[in-house]
Amino acid sequence: MAQSPARPAADTALPAEPTQANRFGKARTAQSGALLEDYVELISDLLTNGGEARPTDIARRLGVAHATTIKTIGRLKREGLAVAKPYRGVFLTEAGETLAARVRARHRVVVDLLLAVGVPSEAAESDAEGIEHHVSDATLAAFARFLKPRT
């Protein structure tokens, strides 16, 4: 005799359609923006540490094809976040630098929280790469408040 599926508990009921659609929409938007955020953060780091951010170096560090990097740099340029100079690499605009600083700060708060709850350092750094792009400002502020007494 086949068992009928268990009914979900009241606390696992689906949210209202508009609420759920909004949540998934936010996740898709964050995913799209995450790519640009990773690029501007890396470009900023490369410029700070080596004075230049060449597409080849960006592609190697992100583990993507050179063509993918060129396409994304084009998107960064269209969005006003970067400029590319022939034979000189990629540079961030003021808006790009502002975004890189914001992403770097978000990353640090997420890593610090993960470390505070006992996540090993390497896992915290790796996991923060995904979390930092999806966490809301309200949640990030709560993380920072939680960490405040520890600093």
Side-chain angles (χ1 to χ4, degrees), residues 112-133:
D112 289 348
L113 176 81
L114 294 173
L115 292 172
V117 298
V119 176
S121 181
E122 185 58 36
E125 287 289 343
S126 178
D127 292 347
E129 283 301 328
I131 296 169
E132 71 190 29
H133 303 294

Side-chain angles (χ1 to χ4, degrees), residues 33-49:
L35 178 68
L36 295 184
E37 290 176 352
D38 284 342
Y39 271 79
V40 296
E41 185 178 16
L42 177 59
I43 292 167
S44 178
D45 290 345
L46 288 170
L47 291 170
T48 298
N49 291 302

Side-chain angles (χ1 to χ4, degrees), residues 40 43 47 52-55 58 70 72-97:
V40 296
I43 292 167
L47 291 170
E52 67 179 349
R54 299 176 309 151
I58 296 166
I70 296 300
T72 305
I73 290 169
R75 184 173 166 204
L76 291 171
K77 289 166 50 178
R78 285 189 305 278
E79 303 237 357
L81 298 170
V83 294
K85 298 179 180 177
Y87 310 107
R88 297 232 15 250
V90 182
F91 297 88
L92 296 177
T93 63
E94 188 175 324
E97 280 295 346

